[in-house]
Amino acid sequence: MTTPTPAPKGKIVCTHVSKTFIQKGKQEVPVLDDVSVEVQENEFLVILGPGQCGKSTLLRIIAGLETPTTGSVTLAGADGVAREVTGPGPDRGLVFQGYMLFPWKTVLGNVEMGPRLRGLSGAKCREIARHYIELVGLTGFEDHYPHQLSGGMKQRVGIARVYANSPEVMLLDEPFGQLDAQTRIFMEQETVRIWQAEQRTVLFVTNNIDEALFLGDRIVTMEGKLPGRVQTVYNVNLPRPRDFTDMEFLRIRQEIIDASQLTL
Amino acid sequence: MSSSIANETTCSFTDRRPWTLRRVLKTRPFLYAVSLFCFFYGWDFLARSLGAEGSSSLARPLEVLAALVDLWDNELAELKLLGHIWASTQRVLIGFSIAAVLAVPIGLAMALNRTVNAIVKPLFDLLKPMPPISWISISILWFGIDETSKVFIIVIGTFVPCLLNAYNGVRLVEPELYDVIRMLGGNRRDEILHVCFPASFPAIFAGLQISMSSAWTCVLAAELVSARSGLGYIIVQGMNLSDPAMVMGGMAVIAVVAYGTTLLLTALERHLCPWKRKIAGL
Ligand SMILES: Nc1ncnc2c1ncn2[C@@H]1O[C@H](COP(=O)(O)OP(=O)(O)OP(=O)(O)O)[C@@H](O)[C@H]1O
Ligand SMILES: [Mg+2]
């Protein structure tokens, strides 16, 4: 409480966020401890950490789906004024770790959900949805139900659904975790392509170091044990599209591996 | 040797394995036919050996068929077979519809609203373990022996599964799906409309299916106790006339009609939730 808090400048600013879950037997589970992260406007920030270090919890707090036990999260609006996050809202879009598509809706129905909730006309919703379905390369699958799609396609629907709602901030939670290596690299390239086509602020969570290096402007590493803490912040000043065998790429990769006890 | 090779090459486009006797014996339609034949033959054999003097309490399959043809052509208590079928079906449909229209919304409301839950649950828990059949006597005292008492029994018997399944359907919805709606800017009403209802649809339909078979049990019980029409009435008449063929005919017709209503519900569900993966078998 005594720490001087400078006026937050970034798009998303987490200041001293801690989270402790209370489980059934009144047992306290500390999940996040004093996490401070700042994401700049239109930046692609990657949070890199091993399993169960509170990455999803941090994203859910920023999304407004969980409240931090201590600390706060502010989000700069389109007008540049920072406001504290008190609940979920369409200014942030979250791509869930599981796909979380609506099984009773087609691809089109899933993607146009956001515009429909905003009360746009049916034709307008369809037009927006079609645009983003095309952007993620799923044209021709508009009338398919989620169970008729592959894992990678489902994930793309999840991404299109969030994009169609035009959030100022995209939050992606290990979106490619369940994909095979080949599809994964393809999806990473697509993500960069889409991000370059539609400049947005992106906060991307992953446990994969190569994915982090391929995507991020900056990488925030987290400690591997509970409660999760921020370890180091790395700048990745490499031109896109990035090359996995580039010398600088490999140097930063080694630096991160040496610094964290991530055995990869 | 050479002929068998020739056989294999001609078949290889569709199926590499030749049609051996063994394979024919294992095909599904064949096994179905064998199973049914054995059942009817065994039944017929049993009926013949039990009733050497024609006083068997087990009718032969063809006698059952003859009894049904007789009911089809001739009136029993002023109604032919179709009339009796319709009498029972009508009771089932009315009772089932009343229960579904009442119980499903109550179940949904209980799952969605704590206050409703706290008010309804104790009453529901009190009445739930009471077998619906145990209401027959009281309903006859209340409503007499005409249609109302039978419909009442059916409503009682179908209410519980309808309500329970609607309730559980809502409870088992993946909570992160609500988060999706909230992240997209939806409010509580959107959560209910776009997640809660569609997600609990399959469970509600499962409840309706259970209710439908329960409704047939109830209508039969009610008709056995007192009725002047319906399939249960045919069975009672058969019993009074010591005519096993008539009793078994009534049983067979109930099975067919009840199965028909189940198929109808399944078709309705297919139509209303095309997203549901088709489950093979059963
Ligand atoms: N609602 C909750 N109640 C209690 N404990 C929770 C809750 N949510 C998360 N946890 C605990 O918090 C810890 C971190 O969970 P979290 O999902 O944030 O990890 P993660 O870094 O996203 O892991 P993964 O890489 O496997 O997705 C876990 O040990 C989990 O058991
Ligand atoms: Mg996670």
Side-chain angles (χ1 to χ4, degrees):
Chain A
M1 288 297 108
T2 50
T3 44
T5 43
K9 297 186 301 287
K11 182 74 182 168
I12 310 169
V13 182
C14 303
T15 31
H16 307 296
V17 168
S18 305
K19 180 74 185 178
T20 303
F21 284 111
I22 312 286
Q23 274 177 346
K24 287 168 236 147
K26 289 191 174 177
Q27 191 191 354
E28 295 195 348
V29 188
V31 176
L32 292 173
D33 181 36
D34 196 24
V35 173
S36 295
V37 177
E38 201 167 313
V39 192
Q40 305 305 323
E41 180 116 38
N42 293 342
E43 183 184 29
F44 201 123
L45 185 93
V46 176
I47 293 181
L48 174 65
Q52 263 111 68
C53 67
K55 304 184 297 294
S56 295
T57 307
L58 181 60
L59 270 200
R60 287 176 63 85
I61 288 173
I62 294 171
L65 295 169
E66 306 271 3
T67 49
T69 313
T70 61
S72 68
V73 178
T74 61
L75 181 78
D79 52 1
V81 179
R83 290 180 195 85
E84 185 153 346
V85 167
T86 51
D91 50 354
R92 285 146 289 152
L94 175 59
V95 177
F96 288 77
Q97 191 167 1
Y99 311 114
M100 289 305 145
L101 302 181
F102 302 118
W104 48 85
K105 289 203 179 291
T106 59
V107 169
L108 188 74
N110 268 283
V111 176
E112 71 176 8
M113 199 67 219
R116 272 185 60 190
L117 290 177
R118 274 183 292 150
L120 300 184
S121 74
K124 188 75 191 145
C125 292
R126 246 164 286 134
E127 185 193 322
I128 294 173
R130 288 236 160 76
H131 171 72
Y132 286 100
I133 288 171
E134 192 191 334
L135 197 72
V136 297
L138 283 179
T139 306
F141 291 94
E142 287 91 345
D143 296 329
H144 283 56
Y145 283 97
H147 71 82
Q148 297 168 310
L149 304 175
S150 74
M153 291 159 92
K154 283 184 207 167
Q155 201 66 70
R156 278 187 265 174
V157 176
I159 292 170
R161 180 172 66 185
V162 168
Y163 263 106
N165 212 28
S166 303
E168 292 161 37
V169 175
M170 292 271 292
L171 310 166
L172 296 107
D173 193 357
E174 296 191 41
F176 312 137
Q178 283 118 312
L179 304 185
D180 62 277
Q182 215 169 341
T183 316
R184 188 170 187 151
I185 289 174
F186 172 73
M187 289 298 297
E188 287 162 13
Q189 289 166 343
E190 289 287 289
T191 307
V192 170
R193 186 178 65 76
I194 297 171
W195 174 68
Q196 285 175 330
E198 309 230 343
Q199 283 285 318
R200 303 268 168 86
T201 310
V202 176
L203 184 52
F204 188 105
V205 163
T206 182
N207 57 18
N208 183 300
I209 187 167
D210 290 310
E211 185 166 84
L213 281 162
F214 187 77
L215 296 172
D217 288 324
R218 284 192 304 148
I219 299 173
V220 174
T221 55
M222 285 181 76
E223 279 177 28
K225 55 184 191 308
L226 287 180
R229 290 191 185 93
V230 171
Q231 206 169 35
T232 325
V233 183
Y234 298 88
N235 286 306
V236 188
N237 293 314
L238 291 172
R240 292 188 172 86
R242 289 176 182 161
D243 181 357
F244 288 100
T245 56
D246 182 79
M247 284 309 290
E248 181 64 10
F249 187 98
L250 292 172
R251 194 193 60 73
I252 304 176
R253 187 176 190 275
Q254 197 56 47
E255 192 184 327
I256 296 175
I257 291 174
D258 289 343
S260 55
Q261 291 84 41
L262 282 171
T263 40
L264 299 159
Chain B
M1 275 302 274
S2 63
S3 74
S4 84
I5 290 170
N7 255 339
E8 275 191 40
T9 42
T10 47
C11 286
S12 67
F13 288 105
T14 48
D15 195 329
R16 266 170 204 290
R17 289 179 300 163
W19 278 96
T20 58
L21 183 61
R22 222 184 130 101
R23 246 188 98 209
V24 172
L25 290 182
K26 276 188 172 173
T27 57
R28 200 175 251 256
F30 178 77
L31 292 177
Y32 273 21
V34 168
S35 169
L36 285 177
F37 178 80
C38 287
F39 172 73
F40 281 107
Y41 189 81
W43 168 7
D44 195 52
F45 177 80
L46 208 64
R48 266 183 295 144
S49 53
L50 282 178
E53 284 89 47
S55 61
S56 167
S57 50
L58 183 65
R60 296 177 58 178
L62 284 178
E63 291 173 346
V64 172
L65 204 62
L68 286 179
V69 171
D70 186 47
L71 284 169
W72 184 272
D73 291 332
N74 302 306
E75 286 180 353
L76 175 72
E78 293 159 30
L79 282 173
K80 292 186 177 179
L81 181 58
L82 268 182
H84 286 291
I85 291 176
W86 178 239
S88 292
T89 311
Q90 203 178 15
R91 290 166 189 153
V92 164
L93 291 183
I94 294 174
F96 174 84
S97 306
I98 293 175
V101 165
L102 287 177
V104 171
I106 294 178
L108 294 175
M110 276 173 74
L112 289 171
N113 188 303
R114 239 174 253 190
T115 317
V116 175
N117 194 344
I119 293 170
V120 180
K121 195 146 193 304
L123 301 178
F124 183 67
D125 284 340
L126 199 71
L127 298 178
K128 188 174 65 178
M130 230 177 265
I133 312 291
S134 66
W135 285 81
I136 288 183
S137 308
I138 196 76
S139 82
I140 289 175
L141 286 182
W142 286 347
F143 303 110
I145 55 163
D146 58 356
E147 295 305 302
T148 320
S149 65
K150 295 177 187 65
V151 169
F152 178 75
I153 292 297
I154 296 168
V155 172
I156 294 282
T158 48
F159 197 85
V160 171
C162 275
L163 190 149
L164 270 185
N165 277 274
Y167 178 77
N168 286 330
V170 176
R171 301 251 106 178
L172 295 177
V173 175
E174 170 70 53
E176 278 206 321
L177 286 175
Y178 294 119
D179 293 344
V180 175
I181 291 286
R182 296 208 289 154
M183 285 310 298
L184 292 174
N187 52 27
R188 176 83 179 137
R189 199 191 69 104
D190 297 317
E191 285 177 36
I192 293 172
L193 205 65
H194 295 292
V195 173
C196 190
F197 286 165
S200 49
F201 219 94
I204 291 174
F205 254 91
L208 293 183
Q209 289 281 15
I210 299 168
S211 292
M212 188 52 101
S213 64
S214 171
W216 280 103
T217 309
C218 292
V219 80
L220 194 64
E223 287 171 353
L224 289 180
V225 172
S226 73
R228 277 161 303 206
S229 62
L231 294 166
Y233 176 72
I234 292 183
I235 291 176
V236 174
Q237 285 304 303
M239 198 168 70
N240 292 343
L241 297 169
S242 301
D243 183 353
M246 197 161 147
V247 175
M248 294 170 74
M251 290 164 62
V253 173
I254 287 176
V256 171
V257 179
Y259 184 62
T261 52
T262 306
L263 284 186
L264 221 66
L265 271 182
T266 310
L268 188 67
E269 182 180 14
R270 285 259 165 81
H271 180 71
L272 290 176
C273 12
W275 70 86
K276 254 193 89 181
R277 246 181 262 225
K278 289 186 181 68
I279 300 162
L282 289 176

